Amino acid sequence: MGKKDKKSKTAEQKARTAAKQEKKAVQKEKKGKSKVSTDSDQEDVDLDAIRAEYERKVGVMYGGHQAQYLEVTESTCEPPSARSSATFIGSPSNSKELLLFGGEYFNGALATFFNDLFIYMIDKDEWRKVTSPNSPLPRSGHAWTRSTSNDIYLFGGEFSSPKQGTFYHYNDFWKLSPSSREWTRIESKKGPPARSGHRMTYFKHYIILFGGFQDTSQQTKYLQDLWIYDCHNFTWFNPVLPPATQKPDARSSFSIHPHEAGLALYGGYSRVKAIAAAGKPTKGGTQGMRSVFKPMVHQDTWYLRITLPASNAPTSTPPAVRWERRKKPVNSPNPTRAGATQAYHKGRGIAFGGVHDVEESEEGIESEFFNTLLVWNIERNRFFQLALKRPRVAAKRQMDDRTTRKGRGKLDEEDLLRNLAALETRDSSDIVEPVVKRDNDDSDNNPRKVGKLTQFTMPHPRFNAHLAIQDDTLYIYGGTYEYRDREYTFDEMWAVDLGKLDGVQEIFRRELEDWHGSDENESASASEDEDESVDEDVDEEAPMGVPLPDVETPAQPETLSPPEVPDVLEPETPDPVIADTGPHPRPFESLREFFARTSTVWQDILTDEIRKTDQSSSQSVKELRKHAFDRAETMWWDCREEITALEDEAEEAGIGEVVSIDHNQDQGGAGRRR
């Protein structure tokens, strides 16, 4: 009887095993068909047909047919949908507007490209969408820059089919008028070749383009060519430098900023050719070698010196250019990071975020993401880290209130009521005191909105965030974060006052969308192991539709790397010695107070310079005062990081404000000391 039961159980196990194998074979066949249909994007989708349909929808005059949209329209809308590799800039014609164009969104299965132009009205906290009869096609990875004429110039970018089976680079050149919202395509001969990941900036009446990459079916080719567009003569120049002349290596995703002598360049990313072992060693001990492309994060800095043509030269004469390699920046970010986007602000580059690849193995790359806010002082070639500070209590008001017994009693009563209210509601450490507008407060110029959330930690770590600066306020839009094999695009925007650094204000924020990259494979694997006991560890998945896992932000400032000696000695151009000929700001001194104190000094400096250079030139009092303010503002921002460090040290020592006694010289010495 026991033998019969044993035989029947064995037969049942064999039948169950056979059924399971048959089920796996069917699922494998289904997955093979699904993979073929997914990878056969080139057969199912015609990229030219997609572009033609976009042209019809967005209103481009295509094939001689009438456009769908006949005029530029602007309508109020919700904030832009999540996207990456877009362009974001403060409007050069209106200090209360930010412009966002293009980009792409990838959810793990399909890629969507955009050609929307969005306007963010800062003072109204309102988004507007612009539709134009002549707009660039959907794209990402393009670049744009402002010009001295307050126009915006855009070049290049990339586009692909939804399943990314076919790929396309643009080489078109556009001009956008921020005031009228009108696009104009610029037709010019011998312009730059198609590319993505390049950068652009401006100098005088020139638009400068450098670098980028071209993605072919075999490999990605990084570029190091330089192109200059003359906005007066509407022509492109491609300066040809002598072979022995040093110049930056090919790269993309670098930072480029305008400079009084031309432009300044820092960092970037590329893949360089290297030799690696191929397979296991043979019996004889020899091992084959193969060529591989390894990622490289650049940390070098360069100047492009541009010399304008002589006044009597023909109008078609291009400017003379020369690259100068600078020394490695002091306190450069450590570890190195890619995707740390920078925005230009008063002679400085404001950088946020970035990613550092920790380890590369067969399973993939483990990466470390950052959310630190850094400043690259271009002239000093030095990095500083910016730290957020909680609002300081007005020390001046406290001193006035404590001078009398009545004032001290009233202040104690206010503190008692505030503490009682905090105990009844929540912990007092979580309470942020509201900002009370004083008679001498300039909070009308503060872009912060009532009712917006303000936090004192930087947003979640990310890379390739979009940065724009308007009225000394940094705006952070979007960005990308990778969690295991998934890629998340942030759908949010934040604002940071670079002068006060009193927290990060949330402009808008939406939850992350689900990742659709491997749903079918996960469901198939789950059905295979449905009847089996699982002994292996199961990897946790990232939460869907909710914020990503918390990342601990160190309380202490991030360690910046000390100056290092490069492995390969290359000729470098020593940085010029900076002569600080003017007065310096003091701790806790605003720009307005600094200029009020030093206005006459700056005017005297300007008068001496005019007298030495050109005796015949003369300026009105208003012009002289304006130029003096420009000098004072440049000095105030140039010393901002050092002054902030002094203010932090003073606050740690219990000093809340430094009061100037220059205007109190009539008081007695003993009384003044008290």
Side-chain angles (χ1 to χ4, degrees):
M1 192 71 180
K3 291 182 179 180
K4 290 183 179 180
D5 293 340
K6 189 175 182 180
K7 287 181 180 180
S8 62
K9 289 182 179 179
T10 304
E12 290 177 1
Q13 289 178 355
K14 289 183 179 180
R16 192 168 22 191
T17 303
K20 189 179 297 183
Q21 291 177 353
E22 183 180 359
K23 184 178 180 182
K24 287 183 178 180
V26 173
Q27 290 176 347
K28 188 175 181 180
E29 184 179 359
K30 287 183 178 179
K31 285 196 289 183
K33 292 180 179 179
S34 175
K35 187 176 181 181
V36 170
S37 63
T38 302
D39 295 339
S40 62
D41 184 29
Q42 196 168 6
E43 299 175 1
D44 297 340
V45 178
D46 184 1
L47 191 60
D48 293 333
I50 295 177
R51 292 179 54 219
E53 178 64 17
Y54 272 123
E55 287 176 341
R56 187 193 67 82
K57 286 184 178 180
V58 302
V60 177
M61 300 300 293
Y62 182 77
H65 297 289
Q66 181 66 28
Q68 181 176 349
Y69 303 113
L70 300 178
E71 60 181 5
V72 177
T73 60
E74 183 175 330
S75 57
T76 306
C77 65
E78 293 295 321
S81 59
R83 61 193 66 197
S84 62
S85 301
T87 45
F88 192 39
I89 194 173
S91 173
S93 62
N94 190 334
S95 62
K96 300 299 181 182
E97 293 181 352
L98 301 173
L99 284 74
L100 175 72
F101 175 77
E104 67 173 294
Y105 177 72
F106 182 65
N107 63 358
L110 299 176
T112 304
F113 289 77
F114 306 96
N115 70 331
D116 307 302
L117 176 61
F118 289 94
I119 311 293
Y120 177 63
M121 316 298 291
I122 299 175
D123 53 345
K124 299 180 180 179
D125 189 24
E126 177 180 283
W127 286 94
R128 295 181 182 178
K129 185 177 181 179
V130 178
T131 57
S132 173
N134 187 30
S135 177
L137 292 175
R139 66 191 65 202
S140 68
H142 52 284
W144 69 6
T145 181
R146 59 165 296 171
S147 66
T148 53
S149 59
N150 290 338
D151 292 321
I152 297 176
Y153 288 85
L154 179 147
F155 180 85
E158 62 189 52
F159 177 77
S160 76
S161 56
K163 297 179 183 178
Q164 298 185 329
T166 52
F167 197 80
Y168 184 84
H169 281 288
Y170 291 103
N171 66 343
D172 50 353
F173 190 42
W174 296 80
K175 183 178 74 171
L176 172 65
S177 174
S179 56
S180 63
R181 325 295 201 210
E182 291 183 356
W183 288 97
T184 304
R185 180 166 181 171
I186 302 175
E187 301 289 350
S188 58
K189 298 180 179 180
K190 298 182 180 180
R195 67 190 65 202
S196 304
H198 51 289
R199 295 293 183 265
M200 299 170 65
T201 188
Y202 65 96
F203 174 76
K204 304 295 183 180
H205 60 279
Y206 297 112
I207 301 297
I208 308 168
L209 183 150
F210 178 77
F213 67 90
Q214 293 175 338
D215 200 350
T216 63
S217 57
Q218 288 81 18
Q219 64 178 1
T220 300
K221 178 184 178 182
Y222 289 88
L223 307 172
Q224 60 177 153
D225 52 343
L226 175 69
W227 292 84
I228 299 177
Y229 180 76
D230 189 339
C231 297
H232 290 173
N233 298 318
F234 313 107
T235 54
W236 282 101
F237 299 107
N238 179 214
V240 179
L241 302 176
T245 304
Q246 59 177 352
K247 59 182 178 180
D249 296 330
R251 67 190 70 192
S252 70
S253 302
F254 49 91
S255 298
I256 188 171
H257 303 299
H259 187 263
E260 60 182 7
L263 67 84
L265 182 150
Y266 169 77
Y269 175 87
S270 65
R271 298 183 74 88
V272 296
K273 194 173 184 179
I275 305 298
K280 297 180 180 179
T282 60
K283 292 183 180 180
T286 60
Q287 189 175 11
M289 307 300 290
R290 60 188 177 93
S291 298
V292 296
F293 287 91
K294 290 188 176 182
M296 178 178 181
V297 179
H298 300 268
Q299 281 192 298
D300 50 348
T301 58
W302 295 79
Y303 271 145
L304 179 65
R305 303 286 183 178
I306 301 178
T307 305
L308 298 177
S311 57
N312 57 353
T315 57
S316 60
T317 304
V321 299
R322 176 170 55 92
W323 284 105
E324 290 183 3
R325 183 185 176 94
R326 307 179 68 190
K327 294 182 179 180
K328 183 180 179 181
V330 181
N331 294 336
S332 56
N334 186 26
T336 60
R337 60 201 65 179
T341 320
Q342 289 193 18
Y344 179 74
H345 177 246
K346 300 184 184 304
R348 314 179 304 166
I350 310 297
F352 173 72
V355 58
H356 173 71
D357 294 334
V358 178
E359 181 181 354
E360 185 174 4
S361 61
E362 295 180 356
E363 284 124 18
I365 299 176
E366 295 182 3
S367 302
E368 180 183 2
F369 296 86
F370 302 91
N371 64 343
T372 50
L373 190 63
L374 302 175
V375 170
W376 176 41
N377 190 305
I378 298 175
E379 200 68 35
R380 300 174 186 268
N381 200 19
R382 187 184 187 95
F383 275 90
F384 300 89
Q385 182 173 348
L386 298 182
L388 300 177
K389 299 181 292 184
R390 291 183 177 271
R392 293 185 293 109
V393 180
K396 188 174 182 180
R397 185 191 176 197
Q398 286 187 355
M399 293 298 296
D400 293 341
D401 290 340
R402 295 182 186 276
T403 52
T404 61
R405 183 178 302 177
K406 183 178 180 181
R408 289 195 299 269
K410 183 177 180 181
L411 190 63
D412 293 340
E413 182 180 357
E414 292 178 355
D415 292 340
L416 179 61
L417 293 176
R418 189 183 303 110
N419 292 333
L420 289 175
L423 291 174
E424 292 177 357
T425 55
R426 51 180 173 171
D427 188 8
S428 60
S429 61
D430 295 333
I431 297 177
V432 180
E433 295 185 5
V435 179
V436 181
K437 184 175 180 180
R438 313 291 181 198
D439 293 337
N440 58 347
D441 192 5
D442 57 349
S443 58
D444 291 338
N445 298 327
N446 194 340
R448 295 188 180 275
K449 307 294 184 300
V450 178
K452 294 286 187 178
L453 173 66
T454 300
Q455 63 184 37
F456 296 94
T457 57
M458 293 302 295
H460 197 282
R462 67 196 68 192
F463 69 99
N464 286 344
H466 306 89
L467 306 183
I469 296 178
Q470 199 71 287
D471 279 346
D472 301 332
T473 300
L474 171 68
Y475 294 89
I476 305 172
Y477 172 79
T480 305
Y481 180 80
E482 295 173 354
Y483 183 74
R484 299 191 176 161
D485 60 340
R486 302 184 177 188
E487 182 180 292
Y488 295 95
T489 303
F490 288 98
D491 193 5
E492 59 191 30
M493 191 167 83
W494 305 83
V496 182
D497 190 325
L498 296 176
K500 300 178 180 178
L501 295 174
D502 53 347
V504 185
Q505 185 186 33
E506 176 187 302
I507 303 299
F508 78 89
R509 186 181 185 187
R510 291 187 289 239
E511 298 297 340
L512 302 176
E513 296 186 4
D514 292 349
W515 180 260
H516 303 287
S518 56
D519 293 343
E520 296 180 359
N521 296 338
E522 290 178 357
S523 61
S525 301
S527 62
E528 289 178 7
D529 301 335
E530 175 174 51
D531 301 325
E532 298 178 3
S533 58
V534 181
D535 296 332
E536 300 178 356
D537 295 334
V538 180
D539 293 337
E540 296 180 359
E541 296 183 356
M544 309 300 288
V546 296
L548 291 167
D550 294 333
V551 177
E552 294 183 1
T553 302
Q556 298 296 329
E558 180 181 339
T559 303
L560 299 179
S561 62
E564 298 179 0
V565 179
D567 297 335
V568 180
L569 296 178
E570 298 183 12
E572 296 178 348
T573 302
D575 293 330
V577 179
I578 304 171
D580 293 335
T581 57
H584 288 238
R586 298 170 178 172
F588 306 106
E589 187 175 44
S590 65
L591 175 59
R592 181 183 300 177
E593 295 169 344
F594 174 57
F595 180 66
R597 178 174 62 86
T598 62
S599 175
T600 55
V601 179
W602 292 113
Q603 293 182 44
D604 293 341
I605 293 175
L606 287 171
T607 304
D608 292 340
E609 292 179 357
I610 294 173
R611 190 179 297 111
K612 292 178 181 179
T613 56
D614 190 359
Q615 298 288 341
S616 60
S617 63
S618 61
Q619 293 184 358
S620 64
V621 177
K622 186 176 180 180
E623 292 176 344
L624 188 64
R625 184 175 176 82
K626 179 182 181 302
H627 293 158
F629 178 79
D630 294 339
R631 290 285 187 93
E633 185 181 25
T634 302
M635 177 63 73
W636 193 84
W637 282 109
D638 189 56
C639 302
R640 191 72 201 121
E641 286 71 41
E642 291 92 337
I643 298 301
T644 302
L646 294 176
E647 292 174 354
D648 294 340
E649 294 177 1
E651 287 182 344
E652 291 178 0
I655 301 174
E657 185 179 11
V658 177
V659 181
S660 176
I661 59 175
D662 294 342
H663 303 289
N664 299 328
Q665 300 296 334
D666 54 337
Q667 297 181 2
R672 185 175 59 205
R673 283 196 297 272
R674 284 199 296 269

